[in-house]
Amino acid sequence: MVEQESSSEIARGSSPASRGPAGAYIEGELGALYLLALLTGNRAPGLPDARIVAVRFQGTEQGFKLDDLIVSGVGSAGNFILEIQSKRDITFSPGDAVYQDVASQIARSMVDSVPEDRHFLGIATQRTSRKISGAYQDVLKWARTADSATAFFNRIAAKSVASKDMRDFVATTRKHLIAGGIADDDQAIWSLLRRMLILEFDFEATAPIARTYGLALARVALADEDVARAEALWSRLTDLSIKTGTTGGKIDRDSLRADLAEAGFRLAGERDYGPARAKLAELAQNTLAHIGTSVAGVTLPRLEAVAAVTMHPNHIGSLKSVGIPVSANPGFFGMSPNAWRARRRLSCSTATRRRQAAGCRFPTRSASRVRRSSS
């Protein structure tokens, strides 16, 4: 009897991987990749304009329909959310029942915490194809870049422009979304298509690029003395993703660093220099604001060169590099001699204090490199 059941299963052509724990492990690696982006501050697939602040696993209770991963990010435009449903075998073809189920989930996905244009709906797939990487990705790109629903659908309908595969994908998606409760309206369909993402990963490949990228992020996350433990960090984050995905839960940067510190990993220092750069740019602008535009009624001849280095953190060195004699008479810049001498007396320790005041938290090794480069 057992023999007959096994033969029947093989005859139906089901993959051994789909009958075992491989699917869960692949989802664990997917979670590990996003946790490393959270840890290092690097941009993650699907959220190029935001820095990840938290990763949630299994968010059904919070109202998310694509609930394998819910990635929260912050960017210059505000808060972002990326919902991800992971499917090992999905073809997006008209007869694909897996895509029909996912499209139905997309149709029901609504959140109030972020604006619609910053709420993305991702489908992660481990098996790609020419159509997925080509025509289907092109459709989603056209939807994101189109000025209106009318412009998008006119372009898709143009036979000399769009391919049959592209039109089939749009028609299939439209049918599934309408079946899921979305109005049969161009604007409604387009507004969902422009937020959909097909995220292609190759964890099951012989030489997976996704895992190679993950290990590179792991080396960035670790302190110099622990770089050799990148594989161990990857395994730890994969196991953490599987464990958290079993029960559900949210991981932020502080809790992740605490977990890894408890496991004995030594991590690199803070690498988010965005706020520091903004403050340094403001300091540079305020410094150059005191420079006059004329001396004794004569317009300064090098204002254009000064403007070119306004945003440079080391503006004194930059002024030298463009040929402005910083040791010349301070009246050349419309500054008093006392003000000029005060700026010339900037010591290394003062520079360090200014970096700290600007919120620039260098890791120990980065700080030593800065001191060596300035000496």
Side-chain angles (χ1 to χ4, degrees):
M1 182 69 177
V2 174
E3 241 179 274
Q4 289 178 353
E5 289 179 355
S6 292
S7 299
S8 176
E9 189 174 19
I10 293 172
R12 289 195 302 270
S14 62
S15 165
S18 66
R19 302 192 298 270
Y25 189 79
I26 295 300
E27 288 184 9
E29 289 195 300
L30 179 64
L33 189 63
Y34 281 89
L35 288 179
L36 278 167
L38 168 66
L39 189 63
T40 60
N42 282 62
R43 299 303 185 256
L47 281 182
D49 299 322
R51 175 177 54 85
I52 294 180
V53 295
V55 178
R56 180 179 291 279
F57 296 80
Q58 307 302 333
T60 303
E61 293 81 2
Q62 287 72 37
F64 297 103
K65 303 306 179 185
L66 309 182
D67 66 339
D68 283 341
L69 286 180
I70 298 93
V71 184
S72 300
V74 175
S76 58
N79 294 331
F80 290 76
I81 287 179
L82 168 62
E83 298 183 43
I84 300 176
Q85 193 73 38
S86 177
K87 296 295 182 183
R88 296 181 68 249
D89 299 290
I90 186 170
T91 64
F92 302 94
S93 64
D96 183 11
V98 176
Y99 183 45
Q100 183 177 358
D101 290 341
V102 175
S104 177
Q105 293 172 263
I106 289 174
R108 301 192 310 271
S109 181
M110 297 178 63
V111 297
D112 299 325
S113 55
V114 297
E116 187 178 88
D117 62 340
R118 285 186 259 126
H119 175 209
F120 297 103
L121 307 162
I123 306 169
T125 176
Q126 313 300 328
R127 308 284 175 84
T128 188
S129 67
R130 178 185 59 81
K131 290 182 180 180
I132 293 174
S133 298
Y136 301 166
Q137 293 283 18
D138 286 343
V139 166
L140 300 182
K141 181 179 179 181
W142 286 14
R144 285 191 294 272
T145 57
D147 293 331
S148 65
T150 301
F152 170 72
F153 282 104
N154 285 345
R155 191 178 186 188
I156 291 294
K159 293 185 178 181
S160 59
V161 178
S163 67
K164 180 180 182 300
D165 290 336
M166 296 174 74
R167 286 189 290 275
D168 288 346
F169 176 63
V170 172
T172 300
T173 304
R174 185 181 197 120
K175 181 182 72 174
H176 293 335
L177 292 176
I178 293 171
I182 298 298
D184 188 4
D185 174 75
D186 284 355
Q187 182 67 35
I189 302 299
W190 173 65
S191 65
L192 278 173
L193 278 171
R194 66 200 311 264
R195 295 193 287 126
M196 285 175 56
L197 302 168
I198 298 177
L199 304 171
E200 301 176 64
F201 299 96
D202 63 345
F203 291 116
E204 295 180 302
T206 304
I209 296 174
R211 188 178 296 123
T212 301
Y213 175 61
L215 291 173
L217 287 183
R219 285 188 284 271
V220 170
L222 291 167
D224 282 347
E225 54 271 27
D226 262 17
V227 166
R229 300 184 65 194
E231 290 270 7
L233 177 58
W234 177 258
S235 297
R236 173 78 181 190
L237 293 176
T238 300
D239 292 341
L240 178 61
S241 297
I242 295 173
K243 178 182 176 182
T244 310
T246 302
T247 58
K250 176 181 174 182
I251 299 175
D252 59 21
R253 194 170 186 275
D254 291 339
S255 63
L256 180 58
R257 289 181 68 90
D259 179 89
L260 296 176
E262 185 179 344
F265 289 98
R266 289 172 290 186
L267 302 175
E270 176 66 59
R271 295 176 182 273
D272 181 17
Y273 300 143
R277 291 192 185 101
K279 290 184 180 180
L280 288 173
E282 182 183 358
L283 290 172
Q285 182 65 41
N286 291 340
T287 298
L288 289 176
H290 297 290
I291 298 176
T293 57
S294 64
V295 176
V298 178
T299 301
L300 296 179
R302 295 181 179 179
L303 285 180
E304 184 176 352
V306 174
V309 296
T310 296
M311 303 305 292
H312 198 289
N314 182 18
H315 55 275
I316 296 298
S318 300
L319 292 174
K320 290 179 180 179
S321 70
V322 296
I324 294 180
V326 297
S327 59
N329 190 322
F332 179 83
F333 293 101
M335 298 173 64
S336 69
N338 288 337
W340 180 257
R341 282 193 293 272
R343 297 189 189 284
R344 293 291 308 275
R345 286 198 298 266
L346 197 63
S347 65
C348 180
S349 60
T350 304
T352 300
R353 287 195 297 273
R354 285 195 173 186
R355 284 196 301 270
Q356 293 171 346
C360 189
R361 301 183 294 278
F362 287 107
T364 302
R365 65 178 186 273
S366 298
S368 61
R369 288 172 186 165
V370 170
R371 287 194 295 271
R372 287 197 297 273
S373 64
S374 61
S375 60

